Amino acid sequence: MRTAFLLLYSFTVVASVSAQGVFQDIMSGTLINPENGVYSWYELKDTENGRTLFVRQAIVGEKKVQGKKGYYLETEIVPDVGFPIIYKMLLTGPATDKNNVHEIIVREGFGAPETIALDNLEGAEDEKSPEAARTSLGTETVKTPAGDIQAEHFSIEQGGLKTEVWISDTVRPMGIVRMISSDGELLLSRSGQGGADGESAMNRTPPEEIRPDVKVRVESGPTRNFSGKAQ
């Protein structure tokens, strides 16, 4: 699952140079008309291992930070087999600037959420990437499971690698409709606002069928499960 996140991050880095103005730094922390509860689901195909994953991005809360309004941006990666991994960041601007990142929380599977020290971001800005050549190819109709969407098509070449990205400000919170690179393909499945998809999954309880029913035997006593009921 960490490999899956790195694949998603590779899309993030390329998308950050895909457009100007309001679209600058899309997928690296700049939000499109942010509102609590907006979300988008994507299908992510990994070229290297042929796996398909599902990705949800949503704004799941707000918080004032040093006089600025911050938004909690949550990214959930769901594999075709296995448990999800969730990343939640509190942002007051593009995540490409570490000063805009105020909290990072991760939850693997249905374990307890863990806070990642912001010190891990130190030095990230010192890494210099090759300059990207960005070309707008105009507005195109992109066919997605969510329907046909008008999106601006950009072609980006960086370090000998080429990426295609389609962007629309109707798709919140991040604007991405489709993205293709040598690593894989990201395609919008659906988007909206409200409901379970617009809420944080950090404290989501596992489904009944996969909840642990571990029994602990106490010497000279009854066997009990996590509910505390004697067996």
Side-chain angles (χ1 to χ4, degrees), residues 2 51 65 133 217:
R2 290 188 181 276
R51 293 185 63 185
V65 182
R217 181 172 300 281

Side-chain angles (χ1 to χ4, degrees), residues 162-214:
K162 186 176 181 179
T163 297
E164 306 290 325
V165 60
W166 288 260
I167 296 171
S168 171
D169 61 358
T170 65
V171 178
R172 297 187 293 169
M174 306 304 287
I176 296 296
V177 178
R178 187 186 186 193
M179 193 177 299
I180 303 174
S181 80
S182 58
D183 294 318
E185 178 177 359
L186 188 73
L187 180 65
L188 178 72
S189 297
R190 59 189 174 89
S191 61
Q193 184 173 12
D197 290 329
E199 298 175 352
S200 178
M202 277 294 167
N203 297 309
R204 181 192 296 156
T205 56
E208 287 286 348
E209 61 268 23
I210 64 172
R211 290 183 189 176
D213 189 25
V214 179

